[in-house]
């Protein structure tokens, strides 16, 4: 799973899974663009990569804004000459009962979690199409629907993640003639800041762990290793797929 001479953009990379995606891909040889809403935080990840002997660039980007996404891709090409890999990882999750959810909260979640993926995928794919190769990896969630498990208080988040899975299938078909592969990763409970509200509620946390066959929360690096596999030629015949990584949650 060698990514030498490959150029990867990771959104939402200042912390959590995005950070470990950046570190793992850099360790595999990729030149990495670390992108998020805080350039200062992104720069810290860049320094980690450089200390390990890798190459990286920090770029501030709000994925819900087309002009910022286009600028991110432009700067990537100016710095590294191309785009080989896009990891759409930026996302937000706000716990709110459906009957109290505002239109603004719905819009903000869909703008970042779904429209942001569209904008980034389109901008990156335009560059990938020029070289007739590329990989797009979309990070969704087991809360994407059609899995037989409902998730209360995050209906807007669930809708966005379900949209990602559907978009992935459509993009895989449309971009295949350009030799661009598109896949989704659907993590379960992973040790990131996003699950902090759950961890604070001991009863809820215990109930969640009880339904996990592996009886533990996943590590960000475990998801990043799957990102590496899908980004590499080791997965050259995989496209349009949603790969679940959840410690057996859905199976249980």
């Amino acid at each position: 799973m060698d990514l030498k001479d490959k150029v990867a953009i990771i959104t939402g990379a200042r912390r959590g899974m995005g950070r470990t995606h950046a570190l793992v891909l850099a360790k595999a040889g990729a030149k990495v663009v670390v992108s998020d809403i805080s350039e200062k935080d992104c720069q810290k990840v860049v320094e980690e990569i450089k200390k390990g002997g890798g190459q990286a660039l920090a770029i501030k980007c709000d994925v819900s804004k087309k002009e910022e996404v286009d600028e991110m891709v432009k700067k990537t090409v100016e710095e590294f000459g191309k785009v080989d890999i896009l990891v759409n990882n930026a996302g937000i999750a706000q716990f709110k009962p459906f009957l109290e959810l505002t239109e603004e909260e719905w819009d903000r979640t869909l703008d970042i979690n779904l429209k942001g993926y569209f904008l980034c995928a389109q901008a990156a794919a335009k560059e990938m199409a020029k070289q007739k190769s590329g990989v797009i990896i979309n990070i969704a969630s087991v809360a994407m629907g059609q899995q037989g498990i409902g998730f209360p208080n995050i209906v807007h988040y669930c809708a966005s993640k379900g949209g990602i899975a559907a978009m992935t299938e459509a993009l895989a078909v449309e971009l295949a003639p350009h030799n661009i592969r598109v896949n989704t990763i659907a993590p379960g409970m992973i040790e990131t800041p996003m699950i902090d509200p759950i961890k604070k509620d001991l009863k809820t946390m215990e109930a969640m762990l009880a339904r996990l066959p592996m009886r533990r929360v996943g590590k960000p690096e475990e998801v990043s290793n799957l990102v590496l596999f899908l980004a590499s030629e080791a997965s050259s015949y995989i496209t349009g797929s949603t790969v679940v990584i959840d410690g057996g949650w859905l199976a249980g």
Side-chain angles (χ1 to χ4, degrees):
M1 294 191 285
D2 184 8
L3 298 182
K4 184 180 179 182
D5 297 325
K6 298 294 185 180
V7 177
I9 296 174
I10 295 98
T11 67
R14 68 190 171 103
R15 63 180 185 176
M17 284 193 293
R19 171 182 164 274
T20 60
H21 299 339
L23 295 175
V24 168
L25 295 195
K27 189 175 181 181
K31 299 170 185 176
V32 175
V33 170
V34 180
S35 176
D36 212 313
I37 56 174
S38 168
E39 186 173 351
K40 182 179 178 181
D41 289 342
C42 289
Q43 193 59 46
K44 292 177 183 178
V45 181
V46 166
E47 292 306 316
E48 284 187 77
I49 291 171
K50 289 183 175 179
K51 284 180 182 178
Q55 296 183 59
L57 175 69
I59 299 179
K60 178 183 180 298
C61 179
D62 178 342
V63 298
S64 69
K65 298 179 179 178
K66 186 179 187 302
E67 62 275 14
E68 293 193 23
V69 170
D70 289 344
E71 185 66 17
M72 172 184 68
V73 172
K74 179 184 176 183
K75 286 181 179 179
T76 299
V77 174
E78 288 175 348
E79 180 72 18
F80 296 126
K82 57 178 181 172
V83 180
D84 296 300
I85 300 158
L86 167 67
V87 182
N88 265 326
N89 174 80
I92 61 172
Q94 175 193 22
F95 290 81
K96 189 78 172 285
F98 171 65
L99 295 179
E100 299 174 13
L101 189 64
T102 67
E103 181 181 2
E104 290 73 21
E105 289 165 337
W106 171 276
D107 286 346
R108 180 168 181 264
T109 299
L110 273 290
D111 279 351
I112 294 172
N113 293 10
L114 187 56
K115 187 179 83 171
Y117 279 36
F118 155 69
L119 293 174
C120 291
Q122 187 180 63
K126 286 179 179 179
E127 293 299 323
M128 295 172 179
K130 296 175 184 178
Q131 65 204 28
K132 284 290 182 181
S133 67
V135 177
I136 297 172
I137 301 168
N138 297 319
I139 307 300
S141 167
V142 291
M144 61 190 165
Q146 301 299 308
Q147 304 299 318
I149 300 175
F151 292 84
N153 300 320
I154 50 170
V155 64
H156 44 338
Y157 177 82
C158 295
S160 70
K161 295 302 181 178
I164 289 168
M167 183 173 68
T168 291
E169 294 179 354
L171 289 181
V173 174
E174 192 163 346
L175 296 178
H178 299 286
N179 196 31
I180 300 171
R181 297 188 294 109
V182 189
N183 291 294
T184 287
I185 294 175
M189 281 192 64
I190 307 298
E191 188 63 60
T192 70
M194 196 171 283
I195 70 165
D196 285 346
I198 299 174
K199 290 167 64 178
K200 291 176 182 178
D201 186 335
L202 294 180
K203 286 187 176 180
T204 299
M205 191 64 184
E206 288 174 2
M208 296 285 275
L209 291 175
R211 69 180 303 161
L212 283 170
M214 294 187 73
R215 295 294 187 269
R216 68 173 178 85
V217 174
K219 301 173 184 176
E221 292 81 4
E222 292 174 309
V223 181
S224 299
N225 288 336
L226 179 55
V227 170
L228 173 58
F229 170 68
L230 290 176
S232 75
E233 283 302 303
S235 62
S236 58
Y237 198 54
I238 301 177
T239 194
S241 294
T242 294
V243 184
V244 174
I245 176 167
D246 67 348
W249 187 350
L250 297 183

